[in-house]
Amino acid sequence: MDPISEIIVSAVDKVKNAVVKIDNYAKSNRQRISGSGSGFVFSSDGLILTNAHVVSNAEKLNVTLLDGEEYAGEITGIDEDTDIAIIKIFGTGYTPAKLGTSGDLRIGQFVIAIGNPFGYQHSVSVGVLSGVGRTMRTPDGHLIDNILQSDAAMNPGNSGGPMIDTQGEVIGINTAIIPSAQGLSFSIGIDTVKEIARYLIRDGKVIKAYLGLIVHEVDINPRIKNFHRLSSKKGLLIAGVENSSPAYRANLHEGDIIIEFDGGQIIGSGDLTKHLIGGDLISRQTRIKILRQTKMLDVEIVPVERPAA
């Protein structure tokens, strides 16, 4: 094989045994599969990460491993806001996938998606990372931060499967495609997934603060960075503000770039998500530092509990 193929094959070999097929038998008819998706084992005791929409409204979950072994799955925790869920299968000898990091990914690097599109188990597709730090609106109206964009081919059934790098480490959960677009696929960054999973394992649910912002990670102009003596060359560009949201009331504008939030440096949308998870900031006046054109401004914002869609 050529060197690139060897790298991809090696990466897939490291994680393939962790990837599972999930069949959802809905409450209305537990004898008939209502939907299928993917997931991956991330702990040796059988905990599996997947999308919330893959397991929603399930009366029964059937999990199939690479070797054909089947297990009943039980939902441990679910967070529809971020489309993340954890289920558990009971047994021994699982080979967990290694979770990497999404905070230092570079646009243009190779990424690999593994899943079960249209029921074709353990299908592999390869592409490049097209964008990081995106905000995406789900079909039910939720905004999900720290989204990775790639051109790796995905189809129904890929949802919940892992996006991995060439080292075989999971960098995201594949979550969505845009049917009318060509070469646009989206994954939830693994840094966000790990934060959400911590609460799901402990409490079964997640409380989050809400700002009402659509953001994208961007590079800061070097001259502005040097003028304000900023330590980071990246920030979060505000691409949209929800009406009647805390951000709207704080008079934040499209085009503002978030530099700090609650005293912490903000480089990517994953950093912002970490601040908002757990509910500590709900109803508390919080300082946000922004770049507006060439000026540095301090703005007070009061996050609220994340509303239902």
Side-chain angles (χ1 to χ4, degrees):
M1 288 188 295
D2 61 275
I4 294 178
S5 295
E6 289 181 352
I7 290 171
I8 293 170
V9 169
S10 176
V12 171
D13 281 344
K14 291 177 182 178
V15 74
K16 65 181 182 182
N17 289 321
V19 182
V20 303
K21 180 174 181 284
I22 301 172
D23 293 320
N24 181 333
Y25 294 80
K27 294 179 180 179
S28 58
N29 188 349
R30 63 177 300 171
Q31 302 304 316
R32 184 175 179 178
I33 297 174
S34 61
S36 294
S38 307
F40 56 95
V41 179
F42 70 101
S43 73
S44 58
D45 59 350
L47 288 176
I48 294 170
L49 278 163
T50 186
N51 284 149
H53 74 262
V54 170
V55 300
S56 63
N57 299 315
E59 179 72 22
K60 183 177 73 170
L61 294 172
N62 190 74
V63 178
T64 306
L65 305 186
L66 177 61
D67 61 7
E69 287 288 327
E70 297 185 2
Y71 297 88
E74 294 186 4
I75 297 176
T76 296
I78 189 167
D79 183 52
E80 294 183 353
D81 285 346
T82 52
D83 200 19
I84 296 171
I86 295 176
I87 64 176
K88 182 173 175 57
I89 54 178
F90 295 89
T92 58
Y94 304 120
T95 304
K98 184 177 180 181
L99 304 186
T101 180
S102 54
D104 57 359
L105 297 175
R106 302 289 298 275
I107 293 175
Q109 73 177 76
F110 279 116
V111 292
I112 305 163
I114 309 177
N116 305 283
F118 296 111
Y120 291 102
Q121 285 190 250
H122 287 78
S123 296
V124 175
S125 58
V126 179
V128 297
L129 191 65
S130 309
V132 297
R134 308 290 201 205
T135 299
M136 183 184 73
R137 189 181 297 278
T138 64
D140 61 3
H142 291 113
L143 293 175
I144 306 179
D145 297 324
N146 198 21
I147 293 294
L148 310 176
Q149 177 189 332
S150 77
D151 66 352
M154 295 187 203
N155 290 284
N158 273 112
S159 291
M163 174 73 74
I164 65 174
D165 61 16
T166 52
Q167 303 302 311
E169 297 184 359
V170 180
I171 57 173
I173 295 181
N174 303 323
T175 191
I177 57 173
I178 298 179
S180 60
Q182 297 292 324
L184 286 178
S185 302
F186 299 96
S187 308
I188 306 167
I190 200 64
D191 292 348
T192 294
V193 175
K194 287 188 284 191
E195 285 293 313
I196 295 294
R198 187 160 59 92
Y199 285 91
L200 290 181
I201 293 170
R202 190 184 71 185
D203 304 324
K205 62 180 182 179
V206 186
I207 297 174
K208 294 180 291 298
Y210 167 75
L211 301 178
L213 289 173
I214 298 174
V215 297
H216 299 319
E217 183 180 311
V218 294
D219 290 323
I220 298 171
N221 184 293
R223 290 184 179 180
I224 296 176
K225 174 183 177 296
N226 293 333
F227 179 80
H228 291 289
R229 298 181 180 179
L230 300 175
S231 58
S232 173
K233 63 180 182 180
K234 291 184 177 291
L236 288 182
L237 173 71
I238 298 177
V241 178
E242 298 282 282
N243 289 331
S244 303
S245 66
Y248 180 86
R249 291 189 288 271
N251 201 30
L252 291 172
H253 300 162
E254 291 185 14
D256 293 342
I257 298 177
I258 301 173
I259 303 300
E260 292 183 7
F261 184 82
D262 194 33
Q265 188 181 62
I266 299 297
I267 299 174
S269 59
D271 298 325
L272 185 59
T273 300
K274 289 179 182 179
H275 282 278
L276 299 176
I277 293 174
D280 292 341
L281 297 180
I282 293 174
S283 300
R284 177 163 72 82
Q285 188 163 289
T286 306
R287 185 176 62 85
I288 183 170
K289 180 173 287 189
I290 63 169
L291 272 172
R292 179 169 293 167
Q293 296 179 341
T294 60
K295 296 180 180 179
M296 186 78 72
L297 302 175
D298 285 327
V299 177
E300 298 292 336
I301 189 169
V302 181
V304 299
E305 186 169 353
R306 182 130 188 173

